[in-house]
Amino acid sequence: GGKNIAVCPSNVHDYVRLYAEQRMLGSNAKVLQALRSGVLDVVPLSAFDNLTAEDFRLLLNGCGEVNVQQLTSYTSFNDETGGAGAEKLLKFKKWFWSIVEKMTSADRQDLVYFWTSSPALPASEEGFQPKPSVTVKPAHDHQLPTANTCISRLYIPLYSSRAILKSKLLLAIKTKTFGFV
């Protein structure tokens, strides 16, 4: 109730709190209770005892800022070039990471989204399942990178130059709908 109570300076805070609570929780109470029940079926209530709201947000959403060093430490490279040689692959990896380091924060998030279907890195290494990988494909300067988001795998042809790698990678991640192999 409350529809017959006039809002005045003495009860405006209560009104705003109750209104916000009704808008956010009241109309979704059954759905939220079912979600809570489902989570508690697999995670014991005691696991939440020392979590702050920020800790919980990080567990659910990951870190908004893509930490390149962290991503580098999680990522493995696979060679499917058909014998390009270790030296070319090492140069390619250096090009790749230097491009990622110089990307804007938004471009890094787009890259991670294109690669994994999540715009953020998990809060910890254990959150990445499977861990991200890059498969270097045979040289082909006219193909765009692709991704298999289910297994966090990025497929990139062994481009002939850093400039081509950068332009193709940025084009692919900006397309957004072009991510699945």
Side-chain angles (χ1 to χ4, degrees):
K3 68 180 180 181
N4 297 324
I5 300 173
V7 177
C8 61
S10 65
N11 68 7
V12 72
H13 292 306
D14 288 335
Y15 170 79
V16 170
R17 182 184 52 77
L18 290 168
Y19 178 80
E21 187 176 293
Q22 175 59 30
R23 294 286 296 178
M24 290 188 286
L25 303 175
S27 60
N28 299 311
K30 287 182 183 176
V31 173
L32 292 170
Q33 184 56 43
L35 180 65
R36 182 182 190 276
S37 177
V39 168
L40 293 177
D41 279 349
V42 293
V43 179
L45 184 60
S46 61
F48 299 100
D49 286 349
N50 295 318
L51 286 182
T52 65
E54 178 63 9
D55 293 336
F56 193 60
R57 185 193 67 76
L58 284 171
L59 285 172
L60 291 177
N61 301 324
C63 303
E65 184 67 30
V66 176
N67 180 319
V68 178
Q69 286 181 326
Q70 184 181 28
L71 185 59
T72 303
S73 72
Y74 297 166
T75 304
S76 63
F77 279 75
N78 308 304
D79 178 8
E80 290 188 5
T81 61
E87 195 173 306
K88 276 189 176 182
L89 288 172
L90 183 60
K91 185 181 349 180
F92 182 86
K93 284 170 71 171
K94 287 179 181 177
W95 287 348
F96 178 78
W97 290 121
S98 73
I99 290 165
V100 174
E101 284 174 351
K102 291 179 179 124
M103 285 178 169
T104 65
S105 181
D107 284 346
R108 277 192 222 116
Q109 285 180 318
D110 287 346
L111 171 65
V112 170
Y113 180 74
F114 178 81
W115 192 346
T116 68
S117 78
S118 172
L121 295 179
S124 69
E125 184 174 358
E126 293 78 28
F128 245 130
Q129 294 299 327
K131 289 196 173 117
S133 64
V134 176
T135 297
V136 185
K137 304 294 280 179
H140 196 301
D141 283 349
H142 300 293
Q143 288 182 343
L144 289 174
T146 57
N148 184 334
T149 58
C150 295
I151 59 173
S152 301
R153 183 167 295 158
L154 190 57
Y155 297 93
I156 307 177
L158 184 62
Y159 295 117
S160 61
S161 73
R162 184 184 182 284
I164 293 172
L165 172 58
K166 181 180 179 181
S167 70
K168 297 292 186 180
L169 189 59
L170 289 173
L171 180 59
I173 66 173
K174 290 301 177 187
T175 306
K176 299 213 191 249
T177 57
F178 185 79
F180 190 74
V181 174

